[in-house]
Amino acid sequence: MNNPHWYHQTYRKLHLDWHQPPWIKKPGEFLTAKTAREQARMFKKTGIQAVEFFLYDHHGQAFFPSRRGTRHPNFKSDYPRFMIDALQEQKIKSIGYMNVLTSIHLSKQHPDWFIRKPDGSQPGAAWLTYPHSWICLASPYADEYFLPLVEEVLTRYPLDGLWLDALSWLSDTICHCPHCCKRFQALEGVLPPREEPKDLGQCTPSEKSIWIAWKIYRLGLITEFHRKIHALAQRLRPGIIVMDNCAGQAIRPAVEVKNDRFVKWVSASQLEMDALSCDPVPLGGNHEMILSFQGRYQITTGKAFDFMNERFHCWGEWQTRSLTDWKLEFATILANGGKCFFADNPYPDGTLEPRVYELLKEGYQFVKEREPICREAKPIYEIGILASSPSQFFGLPQLHDSPRLLPTPTLSGRLSGAHLAAIELGWQAHLFDEVTLCQNLDTLKCVIIPDQELIDSKTVEALKLFVQKGGYLWLLGGSGLYDEHFQKRAVWPFSQIAGLQCDGEWPAPVNYFRPSASLSKMARDLEILPVECWGRAIKFRAPKAKTVVGLSEPISDVWKDGKRLRENFQHHTVTGACPPSSKISGGGIFLNSYGKGKVLTTSIDLFTRYFLEGHRLLRGLIEACLETLYPQESRLVFSKDKPLQLETHLLSQNGKWIFHAVNYFSQKRKGAMVTNDDAIESRPFTVHLKVPFSVQKATLEPSGKVIPFRKTKKGVSVEVPSFALHSAVVLHEKKRSAAFDAHHRIKKT
């Protein structure tokens, strides 16, 4: 894998999103060599360092005189040539955009190349309104059409980067095309499944086995394609940076196969892509939370990564969000170790709105001012949140018994809830897949497993050793009940270190934690009240572990005919809540010492419900749990008065510690969009940092202002002044004099 040096140093990129339907009569009419130079000069003034432009769009159309691919019927000029020549004059890097698995033209010549539903129909791909436009990666399409098209592009144009779209996130659907049917029948002896099971836990062993084999087969097609296109690109243009939109996300696993059969799960760090890049925000959504979630995972891969944040509210429109919103997103990306990639939408004729670039100039000046404290900065690991790849695909659904009018929970809700709690409570936390977690256990102090059910046996053994050596482990829900192949283990693998025996499940879909008075003092929001939590509750016996919090079931009247079975559960209210029993049914939270470390076990996953509801009592219980296991006075970074809305992140850079704080505020909204148009300053707060070096001074960046700090027994305390969007405290190491070193060298001798 080549070292993407220029990509590591490039913080300000631009994506020109320019899909043109075939009925557009004069696409690119404005674009000439002259107007391309004018745009490039505008990009340079804006502070842009790299530009991504279209070669092949999601309609399956080339924007250059291609001999291999289908050209847009009304496109006359050589758009990529104009752009590359103009960008090179301004010393701006060129990245070519190519859509992979969509075309509205090829189905007439090659209908067998396209996704086919079990009923024989051929659907449209992603956002396209045209049927017969979704290509199957199992077909000869890649070898016979797309890879030759890429070869033509890279032979023709001196690109610095190649950005692929509609590949990883468009490849795991059900398909009954002749190629999938033939390959899967050879693999499993049956046709592909006709529909996705609603609950794998309720499937027969045969149904479950076939579905798992199908998903792995489809994932393997992507890995095979990555290998082919990366090898082709490096052979034709050594050093080019190849990226695949959305590859390497925490919720998107990769797999290595041989002859379509499972070999191993692949970490994002092992992908045959040179950098990770994506437009992670769907049509609507909370940009800051999504960018932060993905960033706290991708920084652990060791690869350069960036995220697109767009000018518009939704992809495929020409409106403009506020500069405040853009800056807040830039700050979130930078604080989490990423690079910025702004997306614009040119008009069909190729013209751009100058006002957008006037605003972006200020936005990218905001980025440029912060680049010195971001360049070559490395993550400081303390708390690791496990994002098990197979658990994201095959984990059992939770909270399906709750009738509350809430968003449908997804498997990633457990991770999103852990991430949300980490941000609000100020944890120095990152998300790791199993490979990167095991590689970094020596640097982590605490590991949290938020109901990740499918865990590799090697990871289990590594975690046992981690605890034995003095690490802290927090297990939630059914973590580890299954191996990585979705085979249920006969014995819960964490029994020994947790000091617990797993005895099945409590029958009710909702149960209540009973915090004590002493526990409630450990968190700002925990009252001595029953804390409701929906989801599967594991029944544990505690032969060795100490019970920290008891668990109460609902009142006995909920059981129809007195039978304590899930199907006999009766809701007390229209929202499903039931009064808690006054009795303690058993243990809910347990603590056990093992070797030099400790294990905290929570019988129910707390994070999914917290992600959906954000209840303060549940947040208080989460805070008290970590405090019980890993007290904040022992942590590298903690704050008792940090405002909940601030995201903080600690990185190191050449002998300095950099503590980022990003504000967050949003207008009240009822709908899909979350926007931040009015900057509301945060209140000052104090942060305590367990610095491993002697601090010479503390500065507030990007201003460079020296601010006071106080030495403590374990490090330093710094008051972070009020700020609007982003602030960073840099702790500078005190340099020892040559005389000091000489004196201590003589003394040691």
Side-chain angles (χ1 to χ4, degrees):
M1 193 68 63
N2 65 307
N3 178 22
H5 177 72
W6 72 263
Y7 215 77
H8 274 290
Q9 305 302 322
T10 306
Y11 281 82
R12 289 163 272 127
K13 294 186 279 293
L14 172 69
H15 167 74
L16 297 173
D17 203 63
W18 204 49
H19 303 281
Q20 297 303 315
W23 46 262
I24 291 290
K25 291 184 174 58
K26 296 181 179 180
E29 182 184 21
F30 172 80
L31 294 170
T32 63
K34 178 183 177 183
T35 56
R37 287 196 297 271
E38 291 171 355
Q39 289 187 353
R41 285 194 291 270
M42 181 173 68
F43 298 154
K44 189 71 173 181
K45 290 179 182 178
T46 304
I48 293 164
Q49 299 168 299
V51 174
E52 177 172 303
F53 49 84
F54 272 41
L55 293 125
Y56 190 75
D57 76 349
H58 72 207
H59 298 91
Q61 301 166 147
F63 294 139
F64 62 97
S66 174
R67 297 186 306 274
R68 301 273 192 172
T70 304
R71 195 176 188 189
H72 190 290
N74 301 316
F75 204 91
K76 306 302 181 186
S77 63
D78 191 342
Y79 173 53
R81 175 58 60 192
F82 293 159
M83 292 302 295
I84 290 173
D85 290 348
L87 294 172
Q88 285 182 339
E89 284 182 12
Q90 300 299 325
K91 295 181 171 54
I92 297 173
K93 297 292 185 182
S94 299
I95 306 170
Y97 172 100
M98 297 186 74
N99 208 277
V100 182
L101 292 181
T102 61
S103 172
I104 64 172
H105 300 287
L106 292 176
S107 63
K108 295 176 183 177
Q109 296 83 24
H110 302 282
D112 62 299
W113 287 4
F114 286 74
I115 293 285
R116 190 178 297 275
K117 290 184 177 181
D119 63 6
S121 62
Q122 292 185 304
W127 49 80
L128 287 175
T129 58
Y130 307 82
H132 317 289
S133 57
W134 192 346
I135 298 170
C136 180
L137 205 52
S139 74
Y141 160 78
D143 292 330
E144 295 183 13
Y145 182 87
F146 192 79
L147 292 175
L149 180 63
V150 171
E151 183 173 3
E152 180 186 24
V153 163
L154 296 184
T155 303
R156 186 181 184 108
Y157 301 113
L159 293 169
D160 300 294
L162 180 66
W163 203 87
L164 307 171
D165 198 5
L167 173 60
S168 286
W169 57 273
L170 207 58
S171 293
D172 59 1
T173 184
I174 290 175
C175 178
H176 278 238
C177 76
H179 308 286
C180 279
C181 288
K182 182 179 178 180
R183 287 176 68 162
F184 196 71
Q185 203 156 25
L187 183 69
E188 293 294 319
V190 296
L191 290 173
R194 296 187 64 82
E195 60 183 0
E196 181 173 357
K198 294 180 179 179
D199 187 344
L200 272 178
Q202 303 300 316
C203 290
T204 66
S206 175
E207 290 170 336
K208 185 174 79 171
S209 174
I210 290 170
W211 179 252
I212 292 173
W214 170 256
K215 296 295 278 188
I216 287 173
Y217 154 72
R218 294 294 292 182
L219 289 174
L221 297 174
I222 306 169
T223 310
E224 180 183 10
F225 183 86
H226 280 169
R227 178 180 54 79
K228 286 181 179 180
I229 198 166
H230 187 266
L232 174 67
Q234 295 305 322
R235 176 173 61 82
L236 295 172
R237 191 160 293 284
I240 190 172
I241 309 305
V242 182
M243 298 148 282
D244 171 18
N245 185 15
C246 291
Q249 291 188 336
I251 59 174
R252 195 171 302 282
V255 67
E256 180 182 326
V257 298
K258 185 175 183 180
N259 298 324
D260 291 332
R261 293 196 179 277
F262 176 84
V263 175
K264 66 177 181 178
W265 293 99
V266 175
S267 166
S269 62
Q270 300 167 329
L271 290 176
E272 291 206 51
M273 291 286 111
D274 299 298
L276 303 179
S277 183
C278 64
D279 54 343
V281 181
L283 302 179
N286 188 320
H287 287 62
E288 284 72 25
M289 291 303 297
I290 294 169
L291 296 169
S292 170
F293 176 85
Q294 297 295 348
R296 290 193 181 232
Y297 173 73
Q298 295 198 349
I299 196 173
T300 66
T301 68
K303 290 180 178 288
F305 67 97
D306 60 47
F307 298 122
M308 285 184 188
N309 64 315
E310 64 283 357
R311 138 195 180 186
F312 23 79
H313 278 75
C314 288
W315 287 94
E317 61 162 59
W318 285 265
Q319 300 182 84
T320 301
R321 293 184 296 125
S322 74
L323 180 59
T324 297
D325 225 4
W326 298 352
K327 285 183 178 179
L328 190 56
E329 290 157 15
F330 291 152
T332 303
I333 294 169
L334 295 174
N336 283 284
K339 314 294 191 293
C340 302
F341 205 163
F342 185 80
D344 190 14
N345 210 0
Y347 292 113
D349 64 1
T351 55
L352 301 168
E353 285 283 3
R355 178 57 180 159
V356 170
Y357 293 86
E358 292 171 3
L359 294 169
L360 184 58
K361 181 179 181 180
E362 183 179 338
Y364 267 171
Q365 180 62 30
F366 176 90
V367 172
K368 188 176 181 180
E369 290 168 357
R370 286 156 175 79
E371 285 175 30
I373 60 170
C374 297
R375 194 167 287 115
E376 305 300 331
K378 305 295 182 185
I380 297 175
Y381 296 146
E382 181 179 26
I383 298 173
I385 300 169
L386 176 61
S388 149
S389 291
S391 292
Q392 305 321 305
F393 248 38
F394 301 128
L396 301 179
Q398 297 296 310
L399 304 172
H400 54 277
D401 293 300
S402 171
R404 291 195 180 182
L405 300 177
L406 292 169
T408 302
T410 62
L411 294 173
S412 62
R414 309 166 194 189
L415 297 177
S416 298
H419 166 253
L420 176 61
I423 288 203
E424 292 189 334
L425 297 173
W427 301 345
Q428 177 64 10
H430 296 84
L431 285 92
F432 296 83
D433 58 37
E434 291 187 63
V435 172
T436 54
L437 180 76
C438 292
Q439 289 172 345
N440 289 284
L441 281 175
D442 288 344
T443 62
L444 290 166
K445 304 296 183 184
C446 178
V447 173
I448 300 172
I449 305 184
D451 202 2
Q452 301 296 283
E453 295 170 302
L454 286 75
I455 301 179
D456 193 300
S457 299
K458 293 179 182 178
T459 305
V460 172
E461 294 306 311
L463 288 168
K464 289 179 180 177
L465 186 60
F466 168 73
V467 175
Q468 190 174 35
K469 289 181 176 180
Y472 302 105
L473 177 63
W474 183 5
L475 303 165
L476 291 100
S479 293
L481 287 176
Y482 296 80
D483 66 18
E484 67 274 22
H485 305 292
F486 205 167
Q487 299 299 314
K488 191 164 187 177
R489 291 183 163 106
V491 177
W492 188 48
F494 296 111
S495 287
Q496 183 183 9
I497 62 173
L500 297 169
Q501 298 295 323
C502 181
D503 284 347
E505 302 178 15
W506 293 101
V510 59
N511 291 275
Y512 299 84
F513 291 98
R514 291 285 191 173
S516 63
S518 59
L519 194 76
S520 70
K521 294 178 182 178
M522 294 183 178
R524 68 181 95 176
D525 285 313
L526 187 57
E527 308 283 356
I528 310 174
L529 288 168
V531 180
E532 174 193 290
C533 196
W534 284 86
R536 175 188 55 189
I538 306 297
K539 186 183 290 187
F540 288 112
R541 279 189 298 111
K544 292 183 180 179
K546 172 189 173 185
T547 299
V548 178
V549 176
L551 192 75
S552 288
E553 296 177 276
I555 56 173
S556 59
D557 291 355
V558 300
W559 303 113
K560 184 179 180 181
D561 301 326
K563 295 179 180 179
R564 291 165 50 79
L565 301 171
R566 179 62 62 90
E567 56 267 27
N568 284 43
F569 178 78
Q570 303 175 112
H571 295 299
H572 184 270
T573 66
V574 291
T575 60
C578 304
S581 170
S582 59
K583 298 178 181 179
I584 300 294
S585 305
I589 301 174
F590 308 86
L591 183 66
N592 189 55
S593 296
Y594 181 82
K596 296 179 181 179
K598 293 181 179 179
V599 179
L600 187 82
T601 306
T602 307
S603 60
I604 311 176
D605 162 42
L606 306 178
F607 292 122
T608 303
R609 178 56 70 181
Y610 186 64
F611 177 63
L612 294 174
E613 287 191 330
H615 200 291
R616 73 180 190 95
L617 292 181
L618 202 50
R619 180 174 62 242
L621 185 62
I622 290 168
E623 183 177 14
C625 280
L626 190 64
E627 184 67 17
T628 299
L629 177 67
Y630 183 31
Q632 59 183 3
E633 282 78 7
S634 302
R635 298 178 206 164
L636 292 178
V637 53
F638 76 92
S639 174
K640 294 184 177 180
D641 62 345
K642 180 193 79 68
L644 290 173
Q645 82 273 9
L646 292 190
E647 174 174 5
T648 60
H649 208 159
L650 183 64
L651 297 101
S652 66
Q653 182 198 60
N654 301 323
K656 296 177 287 190
W657 269 21
I658 302 166
F659 177 77
H660 290 270
V662 182
N663 202 359
Y664 175 73
F665 36 82
S666 63
Q667 284 78 258
K668 293 178 179 178
R669 290 286 186 270
K670 182 65 174 177
M673 295 305 305
V674 177
T675 55
N676 302 271
D677 298 335
D678 190 12
I680 304 169
E681 288 204 350
S682 74
R683 66 173 184 269
F685 68 99
T686 301
V687 61
H688 307 274
L689 297 153
K690 196 176 179 181
V691 192
F693 53 80
S694 181
V695 178
Q696 180 183 29
K697 64 178 179 178
T699 59
L700 201 62
E701 302 296 344
S703 69
K705 178 183 178 182
V706 176
I707 58 173
F709 66 91
R710 181 174 61 86
K711 292 184 179 180
T712 64
K713 289 182 180 180
K714 296 184 178 181
V716 299
S717 295
V718 181
E719 182 175 288
V720 181
S722 176
F723 67 95
L725 298 178
H726 170 263
S727 185
V729 173
V730 178
L731 300 179
H732 302 258
E733 184 176 6
K734 183 180 291 184
K735 304 298 182 182
R736 298 178 304 192
S737 67
F740 178 90
D741 286 339
H743 169 75
H744 282 272
R745 190 161 53 246
I746 294 169
K747 187 176 180 180
K748 184 177 181 180
T749 303

